Amino acid sequence: KQTLLPLLREETSSFIFPCHPAVQRLELRYMVMELLRCIPLLLFLLFVCGLDHFIFSILSIIQHHSFVQYSYQASHHLSVNVMGTSLMAQLLRGTIGALNTSFDTEVETSNLACLPQPSGMTRRQYLDTCLPLGALALLCLLQVYPFRLRRAIAAFYFPKREKTRVLFLYNKLLRQRKNFLHLQRGRLARQARQPPGLATSLLQWCGRRWPWMRRFLRRRCALCGTPETPRHRPCPDPGCGALFCEPCW
């Protein structure tokens, strides 16, 4: 509870607040990892769709440029005429005359039955193929909100364990704050012993030379780096001049 232990600015990034609609820092890390796992599936899907389009293009080129049509026409006429009125002529006309034939042949054929008949995928089919992957990516983005209910469900079924976890977290925060203040004191002491840089000295000189420029030279908190506001407090030591925000002070 905030009334029990208000969080500092640096501590808020280490917790997940269930009522915040935005994706928070810890959740963003897991969400990015889940999205990275979808990249191999996306690459495989793009490869399969590209291969399908490539094969369809090749077969379509073969179908349109390898079509051959044959046309065959033939005409045959045989006529034997035996002249005369003798017995032999009549006999020959009765026998050889049966050989008289006459026919015309016209044949058209093609290799259409041997050619491939490809059918390309429509946009609707491509969309239906990519839809499951899109749904998977959407679930990776939305899974952070159901995951926030895990602590509430565990607290409902195991209230004693929840009380132990809260107490452990409270003591852990106290230890972290103690170590944090100790480390920050050492860091500020080392920073104070270092001479100011050229840019810092120039800005300070400009602020002393032209007081009206001080409102444009916004200072920051020496501990957390927040911009200067009317609620910031300067260090009472005349030789220090450090500025602190209210929570850090």
Side-chain angles (χ1 to χ4, degrees), residues 75-109:
S75 179
H76 180 74
H77 300 278
L78 177 62
S79 178
V80 179
N81 296 322
V82 180
M83 308 299 293
T85 58
S86 61
L87 180 61
M88 183 61 69
Q90 294 178 358
L91 182 62
L92 290 175
R93 278 195 296 269
T95 55
I96 300 178
L99 298 176
N100 295 339
T101 57
S102 177
F103 63 89
D104 295 326
T105 303
E106 184 176 354
V107 178
E108 291 186 0
T109 183

Side-chain angles (χ1 to χ4, degrees), residues 108-127:
E108 291 186 0
T109 183
S110 64
N111 62 344
L112 184 61
C114 302
L115 294 177
Q117 305 293 331
S119 58
M121 294 178 61
T122 61
R123 292 184 178 180
R124 179 67 181 181
Q125 291 174 335
Y126 278 115
L127 181 61

Side-chain angles (χ1 to χ4, degrees), residues 182-211:
H182 178 72
L183 294 175
Q184 292 300 326
R185 285 192 184 99
R187 183 180 68 85
L188 292 177
R190 290 190 301 269
Q191 183 178 354
R193 286 192 292 267
Q194 294 178 356
L198 179 61
T200 305
S201 302
L202 182 60
L203 291 177
Q204 292 177 355
W205 181 82
C206 291
R208 292 191 299 266
R209 180 75 174 180
W210 299 286

Side-chain angles (χ1 to χ4, degrees), residues 7-145:
L7 295 177
L8 299 178
R9 180 183 178 89
E10 293 78 11
E11 295 172 345
T12 54
S13 60
S14 303
F15 294 90
I16 297 176
F17 299 92
C19 297
H20 287 190
V23 179
Q24 301 170 45
R25 181 177 178 182
L26 295 178
E27 298 172 330
L28 185 63
R29 182 189 310 171
Y30 294 104
M31 185 181 67
V32 171
M33 293 298 298
E34 294 294 333
L35 290 177
L36 290 178
R37 293 178 183 178
C38 298
I39 292 180
L41 297 177
L42 177 61
L43 295 178
F44 176 75
L45 183 62
L46 293 177
F47 172 76
V48 171
C49 293
L51 183 63
D52 173 79
H53 182 71
F54 175 75
I55 295 177
F56 168 74
S57 301
I58 295 297
L59 295 179
S60 180
I61 292 174
I62 294 175
Q63 180 188 16
H64 288 88
H65 296 277
S66 299
F67 177 73
V68 179
Q69 185 176 9
Y70 302 91
S71 179
Y72 175 76
Q73 294 180 354
S75 179
H76 180 74
H77 300 278
L78 177 62
S79 178
V80 179
N81 296 322
V82 180
M83 308 299 293
T85 58
S86 61
L87 180 61
M88 183 61 69
Q90 294 178 358
L91 182 62
L92 290 175
R93 278 195 296 269
T95 55
I96 300 178
L99 298 176
N100 295 339
T101 57
S102 177
F103 63 89
D104 295 326
T105 303
E106 184 176 354
V107 178
E108 291 186 0
T109 183
S110 64
N111 62 344
L112 184 61
C114 302
L115 294 177
Q117 305 293 331
S119 58
M121 294 178 61
T122 61
R123 292 184 178 180
R124 179 67 181 181
Q125 291 174 335
Y126 278 115
L127 181 61
D128 293 341
T129 304
C130 300
L131 191 60
L133 184 60
L136 180 61
L138 183 61
L139 289 177
C140 292
L141 297 176
L142 299 179
Q143 69 175 353
V144 296
Y145 300 104

